Amino acid sequence: MDKPTSHNWAMRGLYAALAFVVLFLHLLPLDAQPDRWPFPDVLIALTFAWVLRRPDYVPTLLVAFVMLMADLLLQRPPGLLAALVVFGSAYLRSAAPGMKDTGFIGEWMSVGVVITGVFLVNRVILSILSVQQAALWPVLIQLVLTLACYPILVALSQGVFGVRRMSASDAGAVGGRA
């Protein structure tokens, strides 16, 4: 295997490992009392941050697998949020080349619209199917916290894990679009 291919597989493994660490921390019984503030959906924000920076690190099947495992482990309706995140990541993947010129604020706004859409469509579908769900206020707080943690996850991804936007030379090396 050549170096770019092995590096891509290593980064895919890192994404999967980070996803399972996030799920593990989410499942840990750290406090016996109910949360006052809902936990932000770090997994969705991390996925979207990596999709916008290096779509080759998070292929669609990996996103689908990780999000389906999250649905099962967090006892959410299996497949619904996973499908919505896959659709959101597919949209961001197609919009990523055009976002290079918008700067971070434009990227953050685009991700905010997609995350809000995922939360909204999830809630509407659960309502249509008469599935019991959390009250609206905690979901809105979770949405705001998820949007607020996005810049932190982008900074960590770039600074610690080296997940930066694909340059023209990187795109040519992996056969992508420049």
Side-chain angles (χ1 to χ4, degrees):
M1 232 188 297
D2 59 341
K3 187 172 187 220
T5 304
S6 62
H7 180 71
N8 279 354
W9 280 103
M11 294 306 283
R12 290 172 183 166
L14 176 62
Y15 168 76
L18 288 172
F20 285 109
V21 165
V22 167
L23 288 172
F24 178 75
L25 292 174
H26 193 57
L27 291 171
L28 276 178
L30 296 176
D31 194 6
Q33 297 179 6
D35 294 333
R36 290 192 177 136
W37 294 95
F39 192 72
D41 204 326
V42 174
L43 194 52
I44 292 175
L46 179 73
T47 300
F48 289 168
W50 281 46
V51 162
L52 281 173
R53 271 152 188 68
R54 290 302 295 253
D56 53 323
Y57 291 171
V58 282
T60 303
L61 285 176
L62 180 59
V63 172
F65 174 75
V66 165
M67 294 309 297
L68 183 60
M69 287 298 106
D71 283 351
L72 295 173
L73 290 171
L74 300 176
Q75 298 180 355
R76 299 185 294 218
L80 176 60
L81 195 60
L84 294 174
V85 171
V86 166
F87 289 139
S89 66
Y91 168 74
L92 289 173
R93 189 181 311 266
S94 68
M99 279 194 218
K100 290 180 181 175
D101 301 330
T102 63
F104 181 74
I105 300 298
E107 171 191 332
W108 193 11
M109 288 174 53
S110 298
V111 169
V113 168
V114 173
I115 291 175
T116 303
V118 166
F119 274 64
L120 181 66
V121 171
N122 183 51
R123 190 153 182 91
V124 167
I125 290 174
L126 290 177
S127 295
I128 290 171
L129 298 174
S130 299
V131 175
Q132 185 178 2
Q133 50 188 322
L136 183 59
W137 185 247
V139 173
L140 289 175
I141 292 173
Q142 183 183 30
L143 173 63
V144 169
L145 291 175
T146 302
L147 295 175
C149 80
Y150 181 78
I152 298 166
L153 291 171
V154 166
L156 284 173
S157 294
Q158 286 185 352
V160 176
F161 304 115
V163 181
R164 289 180 173 68
R165 287 195 186 271
M166 189 179 284
S167 67
S169 63
D170 293 334
V174 296
R177 287 177 270 171

